[in-house]
Amino acid sequence: MRTIEGNLYTREGMLPGRLHTGADGRITGITRLPADQVPDRLILPGFIDLHVHGGGGADLMEGADAARILSRTHARFGTTSLVATTVSAAHEDLKKVLTAIAPLCDTRHPQSARILGVHLEGPYLNRVKLGAQPDQIQHADASRIRELCALAPIRILTLAPEMLSNQALLQELSAAGIRLQIGHSNGSYEQGKRALEQGVSGFTHLFNAMSGLHHREPGMVGAALAHAEYAEIIPDLLHVHPGAVLAALRSIPGLYGVSDATAATGMPDGTYLLGSHQVHKCMGGVRLKDGTLAGSCLTMDQALRNLVKIGLPLQTASDCLSLRPARYLGLTDRGQLAAGMMADLVVLDNDLKIRQVWVEGENIELTA
């Protein structure tokens, strides 16, 4: 058994105490202690990132070695679970990637975040809202999607619901347990509302690469703000203005943060891969040669600091990065600190800088 003491964010709020873990990597209990007997540090649930393309110089589309590198990289910044995210690519290329990373979804490697499965971001998108996605757009095909699902656990699938071939598959894919998200879409408010009624459950990087809000044409952003229970947003303060983040938080009960991280995450400025694209990290952002934002170099600990900076209480910011994504995916064993949960946690000082990370009870080395 291992223990750690500090100010713990639990179901009952902040609690000075001691957290106990067992040999199976789960929390066995939490003991309250007098406030003056615990170290002056914060202990939060580990971050759960549902949109990760890369990290540590590695892009997921490069295969299994890249997935191992990115899962180790993000663990050092407090991400204890993640969903590995592809970009649009030819069907055969997607098959190769999913085949390569499937074993990593079954077994967590030491010093790494848990890979929960795959987020298939495309290729069933609208070319008008391509953003930084490679131009490998395809019509949705049920047999091809079933083929991909047989190779690796697809937890999330981003698509543009206004495309006719996509509309026909919404209910089937939702019934299969895949979380469908609207993204890279030029659809109307009405099409977004209808898609939510047909099984879509969220929105991919809200505000980015989707039809915007106008008071006479509310677009996909309007559909999200009016009707969504869940949506992801990139809180790097580059993709979305702080005011827009706050507006979305008031409108969408389950709004949660993602990194949309690329190979540039955790690396110096330079040139990296995003699928078949070369992207450039400079001045805290990642862009294509023409200046288009191309994912991010955001880490989830910085996302926490950013959310607090724009006015969120620490507990709400934590929920946006842990509890809400866990609930969205239906995870019952992580996302909060309580007996029976995985011992996934981040230890922070009063400046919200990481001092320790535990993944399933394992203490992660914070240096590369």
Side-chain angles (χ1 to χ4, degrees), residues 174-194:
S174 177
I178 299 172
R179 296 291 191 270
L180 300 179
Q181 296 184 177
I182 295 172
H184 295 274
S185 166
N186 199 40
S188 66
Y189 166 88
E190 290 76 15
Q191 288 170 324
K193 183 173 181 289
R194 189 179 311 121

Side-chain angles (χ1 to χ4, degrees), residues 143-203:
S143 62
R144 286 191 162 196
I145 295 175
R146 292 190 199 104
E147 189 176 8
L148 295 176
C149 288
L151 298 175
I154 296 176
R155 306 299 295 267
I156 302 170
L157 194 158
T158 294
L159 49 71
E162 69 271 18
M163 313 304 286
L164 291 177
S165 60
N166 298 351
Q167 290 178 17
L169 291 176
L170 294 182
Q171 291 178 330
E172 177 182 343
L173 294 173
S174 177
I178 299 172
R179 296 291 191 270
L180 300 179
Q181 296 184 177
I182 295 172
H184 295 274
S185 166
N186 199 40
S188 66
Y189 166 88
E190 290 76 15
Q191 288 170 324
K193 183 173 181 289
R194 189 179 311 121
L196 288 167
E197 295 166 350
Q198 293 176 325
V200 166
S201 53
F203 290 76

